[in-house]
């Protein structure tokens, strides 16, 4: 059974580090400061966030196709320079380590990530909090793969199938995330959805958006495991 974890505000929160990286990257590529930064906690992929950053700060549309890939390339380098800030300013979400450990240790569960982060950025964040060992990041779905986040579910499923020789589809895949975008990713991408109200979205809002289940946080590990099993009918 494939368990797809979101990262930001589900497993960890890096405070203003991401926003500082956007500021620095925009200034280096565009040559001036950004007045408006991407909205917090939306869950959209980084390429789409960068596009909004450029357009909302007055960059002409005809320049975006040239500047956007330059920013995508530079963003991981800028985040790497803030590795210590990730550790000092970032926090683990309540219950994240125990929840990751329980899923990782569960027989038949394949834990990885589906995230709006570029892969280098995702790995930097996970490594900063010593979480990478709980996840198979070789088979995940990242914004580096596709800017359309629902497409990342199928990418992760195909990679998991190639590695494990089993078919992964909606019946045996679940995404765990905190945002409305995580819910949309699962609904459109082909997986069950467990919403976690650890970000800016309440359990009621997650359910209303279409999540199959919603938890207040990850602290009740037994409940999390029960919910995963119930949504996938105990699939392995």
């Amino acid at each position: 059974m494939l368990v797809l974890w979101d990262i930001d505000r589900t497993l960890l929160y890096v405070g203003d580090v991401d926003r500082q990286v956007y500021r620095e990257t925009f200034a280096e590529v565009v040559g001036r400061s950004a007045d408006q930064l991407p909205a917090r906690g939306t869950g959209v992929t980084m390429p789409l966030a960068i596009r909004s950053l450029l357009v909302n700060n007055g960059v002409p549309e005809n320049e975006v196709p040239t500047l956007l890939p330059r920013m995508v390339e530079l963003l991981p380098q800028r985040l790497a320079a803030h590795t210590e800030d990730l550790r000092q300013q970032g926090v683990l979400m309540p219950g994240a380590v125990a929840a990751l450990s329980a899923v990782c240790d569960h027989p038949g569960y394949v834990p990885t990530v589906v995230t709006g982060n570029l892969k280098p950025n995702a790995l930097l964040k996970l490594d900063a909090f010593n979480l990478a060992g709980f996840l198979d990041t070789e088979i995940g779905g990242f914004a580096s793969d596709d800017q359309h986040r629902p497409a990342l579910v199928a990418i992760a499923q195909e990679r998991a199938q190639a590695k494990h020789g089993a078919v992964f589809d909606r019946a045996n895949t679940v995404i765990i995330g905190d945002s409305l975008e995580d819910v949309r990713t699962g609904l459109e991408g082909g997986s069950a959805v467990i919403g976690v109200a650890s970000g800016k979205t309440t359990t009621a809002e997650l359910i209303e958006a279409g999540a199959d289940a919603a938890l207040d946080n990850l602290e009740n590990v037994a409940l999390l495991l029960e919910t995963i099993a119930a949504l996938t009918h105990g699939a392995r």
Side-chain angles (χ1 to χ4, degrees):
M1 210 266 292
L2 189 61
V3 181
L4 307 174
W5 289 95
D6 172 54
I7 295 177
D8 291 299
R9 296 178 184 257
T10 300
L11 298 176
L12 55 87
Y13 176 56
V14 298
D16 282 333
V17 177
D18 272 336
R19 293 170 72 79
Q20 179 61 28
V21 169
Y22 279 126
R23 286 190 191 95
E24 294 174 3
T25 306
F26 182 92
E28 181 166 340
V29 171
V30 181
R32 57 180 170 83
S33 299
D35 295 323
Q36 298 184 49
L37 295 174
R40 300 173 184 266
T42 62
V44 301
T45 59
M46 283 186 167
L48 291 181
I50 292 170
R51 176 177 175 77
S52 296
L53 176 64
L54 291 168
V55 172
N56 292 341
N57 284 279
V59 173
E61 280 280 357
N62 65 331
E63 295 182 19
V64 171
T66 299
L67 298 181
L68 194 152
R70 288 172 56 189
M71 290 189 66
V72 167
E73 182 179 1
L74 185 59
L75 210 65
Q77 300 173 37
R78 284 294 185 182
L79 184 62
H82 287 277
T83 299
E84 192 57 34
D85 292 330
L86 289 175
R87 297 192 183 100
Q88 292 184 0
Q89 298 180 32
V91 294
L92 284 165
M93 303 310 292
V97 173
L100 280 168
S101 179
V103 171
C104 182
D105 291 342
H106 194 287
Y109 283 10
V110 178
T112 185
V113 298
V114 159
T115 174
N117 284 279
L118 303 169
K119 185 170 184 178
N121 293 54
L123 296 181
L124 283 165
K125 292 177 180 181
L126 294 171
D127 287 340
F129 292 91
N130 300 311
L131 301 182
F134 297 113
L135 300 157
D136 185 348
T137 53
E138 291 182 358
I139 61 171
F142 304 86
S144 316
D145 299 313
D146 198 307
Q147 68 176 13
H148 181 57
R149 195 163 177 187
L152 303 182
V153 175
I155 289 171
Q157 289 170 331
E158 290 165 7
R159 287 172 174 166
Q161 180 174 338
K163 182 169 184 175
H164 295 279
V167 175
F168 294 99
D169 54 24
R170 186 180 294 274
N172 62 352
T173 304
V174 60
I175 186 168
I176 303 172
D178 69 282
S179 71
L180 296 179
E181 186 68 4
D182 292 310
V183 177
R184 184 176 80 95
T185 296
L187 294 178
E188 296 182 15
S191 73
V193 180
I194 299 175
V196 184
S198 51
K200 298 177 66 177
T201 312
T202 66
T203 53
E205 290 168 335
L206 291 163
I207 291 294
E208 183 179 356
D212 298 283
L215 308 175
D216 291 329
N217 51 56
L218 296 173
E219 292 184 280
N220 190 334
V221 175
L223 178 59
L224 173 66
L225 294 177
E226 289 171 9
T227 305
I228 293 172
L231 293 181
T232 56
H233 309 294
R236 292 195 173 191

